[in-house]
Amino acid sequence: EKSEKMAMTRLRSISPRLLSHPRRFFNDKSRIDRLLRPNELSPSALDLEEIDVDLYVAPQSILWAPAGGVGVFGGQVIGQALHAASLTSQDHDFELHSMHAYFLRPGNVNHPIVYTVKRTRDGRSFLSRTIEATQRGKVIFECAASFHKREECGINHSPTMPNVPPPEELEEFDSERLVKSLLKRSYNTKFEEDFMRKAAILQAIDKPFAIDVRWVGKNLASPSPSEPRSLVWMKTSKTLPNNPHLHRAVAAAFSDFFLIATACKPHGIGFPSPKIEVLASLDHSMWFHSPFRADEWLLVDINSPMLSSSRALSFGNIFTRDGNLAVSCAQEGLLRFRKEEDFVV
């Protein structure tokens, strides 16, 4: 709470004119190392402003909530937290290799998020960081991240990438068209107004991150029951800076898009759907194995082996186009469905 008060005090000291013009504020040359798209006029969803040593803030102007969510998109919070942690590492030989996070409270898109980074340990081979995200004096998110100085090893093994069509042969995912079709399906529910609001938010889902998505097979919106597995190609629409830390932060945001929603597939519930009452991340872990670029095609392979007690568990592997396993991830999320009697036939 003390660090958040300090952050807000410093934030208020920034010229109100700058805060009222976030494009100008985030395009400041002195802040270029903290920006995801330093040459763009609009701020990125992962941009941070340094308030003090190891203290960063994400203004509410860049925060957003996805359809079916209960607060700020979890992937955005994870990405910002890892971005903050990487800014405390001055040695570029150290690469993020793992992170473990808990979502404690829903983030509020109407208030800035303050990130406090604790330098837990700086060793010869590993760096450890603890990141705490707060809003209005309350902790909403905690994360432990570890950085490793890359080592050469002659003994390696990894899984084989699934044999799927290349992204160029697949249809580009059209979120706007999906929203319109889902709105038509939602007209027979009592929750039309609520679902329309959430669907409108979904329409902007690719704007903060500007991502290209190509589904292998049916996308998550399909109401047909199927195995709890998703295969999807993803990348950013625009070229990112040559900063490996930023590419990992973006991949962390990517990983939160479809993990829990994949658990809906065996039950014939598309995502998004008015049948879903709550979909929220509880905890999230990631392991970074090899170099990659988030602005080049990545194949995300997701499997959800369990849904019980309103908690869904999903695992994911992220492969580079040439078949290297770049990232592994696991997530548990809260998944609540509305009762059948809540729907009008």
Side-chain angles (χ1 to χ4, degrees):
E1 185 173 356
K2 183 178 178 182
S3 62
E4 181 169 354
K5 287 181 178 178
M6 181 189 301
M8 297 313 297
T9 299
R10 299 242 177 167
L11 186 60
R12 283 192 291 269
S13 69
I14 299 173
S15 167
R17 184 181 177 188
L18 282 176
L19 289 179
S20 64
H21 294 83
R23 294 184 179 185
R24 200 175 309 160
F25 177 62
F26 280 101
N27 209 35
D28 190 319
K29 295 293 185 182
S30 65
R31 300 179 173 86
I32 197 167
D33 290 338
R34 292 184 294 280
L35 304 188
L36 189 63
R37 300 197 303 264
N39 297 320
E40 294 291 320
L41 292 178
S42 59
S44 156
L46 301 186
D47 287 345
L48 298 172
E49 172 63 16
E50 185 175 16
I51 300 301
D52 206 336
V53 177
D54 300 344
L55 192 61
Y56 306 89
V57 64
Q60 64 267 37
S61 61
I62 64 171
L63 302 178
W64 63 287
V70 295
V72 177
F73 176 53
Q76 184 177 24
V77 178
I78 294 174
Q80 289 174 346
L82 295 181
H83 188 185
S86 69
L87 292 172
T88 67
S89 172
Q90 302 301 320
D91 191 337
H92 293 292
D93 290 335
F94 284 87
E95 299 177 344
L96 177 69
H97 77 88
S98 70
M99 61 78 64
H100 306 278
Y102 283 95
F103 295 88
L104 306 177
R105 293 181 177 88
N108 190 326
V109 294
N110 298 314
H111 300 287
I113 300 178
V114 176
Y115 294 91
T116 304
V117 182
K118 181 179 179 181
R119 306 189 186 210
T120 313
R121 179 177 182 269
D122 282 7
R124 289 180 295 179
S125 297
F126 291 89
L127 306 179
S128 298
R129 298 290 185 264
T130 303
I131 309 98
E132 186 177 84
T134 58
Q135 281 187 316
R136 299 178 66 81
K138 294 183 178 180
V139 180
I140 65 169
F141 172 87
E142 289 181 335
C143 175
S146 181
F147 297 77
H148 179 218
K149 182 173 286 188
R150 191 166 183 80
E151 300 179 16
E152 294 298 328
C153 178
I155 303 176
N156 302 280
H157 74 271
S158 62
T160 302
M161 185 177 77
N163 185 17
V164 299
E168 292 81 8
E169 296 181 7
L170 301 172
E171 184 180 0
E172 185 175 352
F173 181 58
D174 188 341
S175 60
E176 184 173 352
R177 185 175 63 182
L178 169 62
V179 168
K180 291 178 180 178
S181 65
L182 290 172
L183 284 175
K184 291 180 181 178
R185 294 214 303 258
S186 73
Y187 287 155
N188 292 327
T189 77
K190 296 178 182 178
F191 306 97
E192 180 180 330
E193 182 179 347
D194 178 59
F195 185 62
M196 286 180 70
R197 177 183 62 81
K198 292 179 178 179
I201 296 174
L202 178 68
Q203 201 167 11
I205 197 170
D206 62 340
K207 292 178 181 177
F209 291 96
I211 59 172
D212 286 339
V213 176
R214 308 286 174 91
W215 286 94
V216 179
K218 294 181 179 179
N219 62 53
L220 286 175
S222 173
S224 302
S226 60
E227 65 171 325
R229 188 185 185 190
S230 297
L231 286 161
V232 57
W233 290 99
M234 299 179 72
K235 73 177 184 69
T236 60
S237 301
K238 299 181 179 180
T239 303
L240 302 179
N242 294 320
N243 183 337
H245 291 314
L246 288 178
H247 288 266
R248 286 174 171 79
V250 172
F254 278 4
S255 70
D256 195 42
F257 270 111
F258 308 122
L259 278 168
I260 299 304
T262 298
C264 298
K265 298 182 75 171
H267 310 283
I269 299 176
F271 177 80
S273 167
K275 294 183 179 181
I276 300 175
E277 183 176 13
V278 176
L279 190 153
S281 302
L282 295 175
D283 53 66
H284 197 114
S285 295
M286 298 187 73
W287 298 266
F288 299 86
H289 310 300
S290 59
F292 66 92
R293 292 188 64 93
D295 53 7
E296 296 178 354
W297 286 112
L298 298 169
L299 179 67
V300 186
D301 183 4
I302 302 171
N303 176 54
S304 177
M306 188 70 177
L307 171 57
S308 176
S309 299
S310 297
R311 298 194 314 274
L313 178 65
S314 294
F315 298 96
N317 285 328
I318 302 178
F319 296 88
T320 59
R321 184 162 185 162
D322 56 3
N324 289 324
L325 178 62
V327 185
S328 297
C329 51
Q331 186 180 53
E332 187 179 39
L334 182 64
L335 189 54
R336 290 176 178 157
F337 301 99
R338 291 189 169 100
K339 298 178 181 178
E340 290 294 330
E341 56 265 30
D342 289 336
F343 289 86
V344 177
V345 178

